Amino acid sequence: VKKIVKSFVKQNVDVKKIKSVSCLKSTSNELERALNAAWMVKESLKFGRSLFGSIKQWRISDYCADALTQMNYCSLCNPNYVYQLTQPCSKYCVNVHKGCLAPILQISPKITEWARLLQSLLTELRYELSLYNAMTSLNELIHSTLASESVEGICNHPAYILEDDSQLTLDYHLARLGEELGLYERVFDTLPYRLCDSQHYSQPGSENHCWNGTAMSTYNCHVSEAGLYFPNPTQIVIGDAMLSQQEARLREIVAMLYQQTGIPPSPTPPITLQATEQCWEPTESEEDNMSDKRDHVTNTTPVSPVHHGAQSSSLPLSPGLLLLLLTAWAG
C-alpha cells in the first residue's frame, strides 16, 4: 500500500484521494485483519511452548509422594496380605492422582479454552482471514497501480495474477496444527482416570474389598473435585509458584483470543465448597459385603510427610503366606 501511495505522490496526486479509493481501503483492511490474526496465532503458540515447558519442569510435592507410597506399598507392611492381590480402590486411586496433579488440573480448563479458541482462529486464517488471499490482493493492486494511468482506474484495471502452490501448503500446515491442538482439549482432566486405568487398579466388582490406604476394605469417600480449591481426603493439596504465574499469563492470552475471534467469553462457574463430609461411615449392607470385617478401617486423614532416614523392620513370612506368594508368582 505504501508503494502505491508513493507512486502516485510522485505524480502529484492528492493522498486523500488515493486513500478514498475503495479497493485500496478494502485491501488495506483485509491485510491488517489477516496480519493481526497471524500475530495472535504466533503469540499464542509461543506462550503454549512456554506453558508446556513449565509443566514439563514441574515436580510433585512431598505430600503427593507420601500418598503414592501409601497407596502402592504400605500394604506390604501387613504380613497377612498378598501384595499382588492388594489392588487400590478405584476412587482412592483417582483421589490420590487428583491431589498430586492439582496444580495442573487447576489450569486445565483454561488450557482447553486456549486450544479451542486457537483452533477457531486457525480456521479463520484458512478462510475469512486468509493471509494468502490478502497478499494476493495486494499483489494484484500493485500490478494494477503500475499499469493504470489514474487513481480512479486502479480498481477496474486488469492485473497480472501470480499463481503458485503456497496456498495449498499453508492450508495443510494450518489444518494439521488445528488437529494437533484438538489433542490438548481436556487432556489433563482425564489424566487421573487414565493413570488408574493403565495400572489396572481395582478390577470391576472389587470395590467392596480393595486397598483403601490403611486396610483391605471399602473406600468410603467421594471422588474429590479437581484443582487447588477443593479438599482432598488423601493428602494436603498445595500450589506451585511457577504454574501460578503461567496461569495468570494464560488468562491474558485467552482474553486476547476471545477479543480476536469475536466469540463471547464462556461464563466462569463459581467455586462452591460443599460443607458435606467427603467420607462417611459404612452402612450395614457394606459391612456384610466385606470379606474381612476385622480389616475395616475408615481413617482417611491426610498422610503425614515421610521422615527420610528412618529404619524399617522386616516381618517374618509365615509358611501359609510364603506358599501364597509362591503360587501367585508362579501364576
Side-chain angles (χ1 to χ4, degrees):
V1 176
K2 290 182 179 179
K3 290 181 180 180
I4 297 172
V5 174
K6 288 182 180 179
S7 65
F8 281 101
V9 167
K10 293 181 179 179
Q11 304 176 24
N12 297 321
V13 179
D14 188 4
V15 176
K16 292 183 179 180
K17 188 177 181 181
I18 299 173
K19 293 182 177 180
S20 65
V21 179
S22 60
C23 59
L24 282 174
K25 293 176 64 176
S26 62
T27 301
S28 177
N29 293 335
E30 181 183 9
L31 185 60
E32 182 180 5
R33 293 174 60 211
L35 288 175
N36 285 338
W39 177 85
M40 190 69 246
V41 169
K42 179 186 74 73
E43 288 297 309
S44 299
L45 293 176
K46 181 180 177 181
F47 167 75
R49 181 179 181 181
S50 173
L51 173 64
F52 290 107
S54 299
I55 293 177
K56 185 178 179 180
Q57 296 176 6
W58 169 77
R59 296 294 181 267
I60 63 174
S61 66
D62 291 338
Y63 298 112
C64 169
D66 295 339
L68 288 173
T69 301
Q70 182 176 11
M71 180 179 70
N72 291 308
Y73 300 110
C74 279
S75 60
L76 290 171
C77 299
N78 192 327
N80 296 321
Y81 294 155
V82 180
Y83 178 68
Q84 288 84 349
L85 303 179
T86 56
Q87 293 177 322
C89 304
S90 59
K91 291 190 292 184
Y92 172 48
C93 174
V94 171
N95 276 343
V96 169
H97 285 99
K98 276 192 172 184
C100 289
L101 297 171
I104 297 179
L105 295 176
Q106 178 66 30
I107 62 177
S108 179
K110 284 297 177 182
I111 293 178
T112 299
E113 280 188 84
W114 168 81
R116 290 176 178 173
L117 289 170
L118 194 49
Q119 281 181 291
S120 177
L121 190 56
L122 288 171
T123 303
E124 291 185 7
L125 271 177
R126 295 181 60 194
Y127 302 104
E128 296 89 351
L129 301 178
S130 173
L131 186 60
Y132 178 84
N133 292 340
M135 296 302 296
T136 301
S137 299
L138 179 60
N139 179 63
E140 295 176 4
L141 196 57
I142 292 176
H143 283 85
S144 299
T145 303
L146 297 177
S148 178
E149 297 180 356
S150 63
V151 177
E152 291 80 4
I154 294 177
C155 296
N156 299 322
H157 194 282
Y160 172 75
I161 301 176
L162 181 63
E163 297 183 357
D164 55 30
D165 297 332
S166 59
Q167 173 66 13
L168 298 177
T169 305
L170 181 60
D171 278 347
Y172 169 76
H173 287 295
L174 291 177
R176 183 177 178 182
L177 181 58
E179 293 175 358
E180 292 181 354
L181 283 170
L183 301 176
Y184 291 98
E185 294 185 15
R186 301 183 61 83
V187 62
F188 296 113
D189 294 339
T190 59
L191 187 56
Y193 300 92
R194 289 189 286 115
L195 285 173
C196 291
D197 291 341
S198 65
Q199 300 177 27
H200 305 290
Y201 284 142
S202 189
Q203 298 298 324
S206 62
E207 279 295 318
N208 291 325
H209 189 70
C210 51
W211 177 251
N212 64 9
T214 55
M216 288 294 294
S217 181
T218 59
Y219 184 68
N220 301 307
C221 294
H222 296 289
V223 175
S224 63
E225 297 291 336
L228 296 171
Y229 303 113
F230 301 96
N232 190 292
T234 65
Q235 60 192 281
I236 299 175
V237 176
I238 60 175
D240 182 83
M242 179 175 58
L243 292 183
S244 297
Q245 294 178 356
Q246 292 287 16
E247 181 184 7
R249 178 58 179 163
L250 177 59
R251 293 181 181 276
E252 295 177 2
I253 293 292
V254 168
M256 294 170 64
L257 285 170
Y258 274 122
Q259 183 178 5
Q260 179 67 46
T261 57
I263 300 175
S266 57
T268 303
I271 299 175
T272 55
L273 298 178
Q274 299 293 336
T276 57
E277 293 292 334
Q278 287 185 299
C279 304
W280 65 91
E281 294 295 331
T283 62
E284 293 182 1
S285 59
E286 289 176 338
E287 291 182 355
D288 293 338
N289 290 330
M290 287 188 298
S291 301
D292 191 352
K293 295 181 181 180
R294 297 172 301 172
D295 294 333
H296 177 67
V297 179
T298 57
N299 182 18
T300 56
T301 55
V303 187
S304 303
V306 174
H307 297 283
H308 300 284
Q311 295 181 354
S312 59
S313 58
S314 58
L315 295 175
L317 295 176
S318 62
L321 179 59
L322 181 59
L323 179 59
L324 286 175
L325 286 174
L326 291 176
T327 304
W329 177 79

